Structures are given as C-alpha cells and as structure tokens.
C-alpha cells in the first residue's frame, strides 16, 4: 500500500469516527476519557497539531468546531452533562501520577 492510499484511508477513518461521535452526543467526553484515554477535545487538539505540522494554522475554536460539528459552546449547552461523582473519581484515578 502506498503512502497516498494510506493517507486517504486514514482520512476516511477520521471522517467516519467524527460522524460516529456526532451520532452519539449522549456519550460524554469524560466517559470517553475513562474508557479510551482520549475524547473529542483530544481529537481537536490533535487536529490543530496536525495542521501546524502541515504548515497551516487552525485555531483551537476552529479545530473544536471541526470535531464537534458545531461551535463548542453550542455543543456543551446542548449535550454536555455534569460529571457524576463516579465518573470524576474514575477520571482522577486514571490521571498519570506526577
């Protein structure tokens, strides 16, 4: 498999992941962090970092909008719930120890 095809497949997978996450706004970021160690915010940071590596500037807000499919403030207002004590405890326990 050549690099061009690999890049096209990688892009298709990211697009499918974003579409899947768009279809599951009930899945909270803290749940993603607790189960997988990354969340939508991580994806947006990786997106902005990849843009920078490619010589393009993408603001944090623009990267979040790409990942969330809408302005982050709107997504939070529509979908984000307060973390439960159990979710927060699991998140705190999983943090790397400094």
């Amino acid at each position: 498999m050549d690099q061009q095809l690999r890049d096209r497949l990688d892009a298709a997978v990211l697009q499918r992941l974003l579409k899947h996450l768009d279809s599951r706004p009930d899945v909270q970021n803290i749940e993603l962090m607790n189960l997988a160690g990354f969340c939508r915010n991580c994806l947006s940071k990786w997106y902005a970092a990849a843009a920078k590596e490619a010589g393009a500037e993408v603001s944090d807000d623009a990267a979040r909008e790409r990942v969330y499919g809408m302005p982050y403030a709107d997504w939070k207002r529509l979908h984000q719930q307060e973390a439960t004590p159990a979710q927060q405890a699991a998140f705190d326990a999983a943090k790397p120890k400094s």
Side-chain angles (χ1 to χ4, degrees):
M1 177 182 310
D2 67 13
Q3 188 62 46
Q4 186 177 20
L5 177 57
R6 186 176 296 118
D7 290 346
R8 284 191 5 239
L9 295 174
D10 289 350
V13 168
L14 174 62
Q15 290 169 2
R16 188 167 183 172
L17 173 61
L18 293 177
K19 186 175 182 179
H20 179 75
L21 289 172
D22 283 348
S23 75
R24 294 298 313 268
D26 59 308
V27 177
Q28 299 295 297
N29 280 332
I30 196 163
E31 293 170 325
L32 290 170
M33 285 297 295
N34 288 344
L35 291 172
F38 77 97
C39 69
R40 292 171 181 90
N41 289 330
C42 297
L43 289 172
S44 70
K45 290 175 185 175
W46 299 340
Y47 186 90
K52 187 174 184 177
E53 288 175 16
E57 285 298 319
V58 174
S59 70
D60 290 343
D61 288 340
R64 281 183 169 176
E65 189 164 341
R66 173 68 180 112
V67 169
Y68 284 91
M70 65 181 69
Y72 181 56
D74 292 347
W75 192 93
K76 282 176 53 174
R77 179 178 45 78
L78 293 170
H79 304 293
Q80 187 166 310
Q81 301 169 9
E82 192 70 32
T84 67
Q87 289 171 324
Q88 190 62 51
F91 179 78
D92 292 341
K95 283 184 185 175
K97 308 298 184 237
S98 297

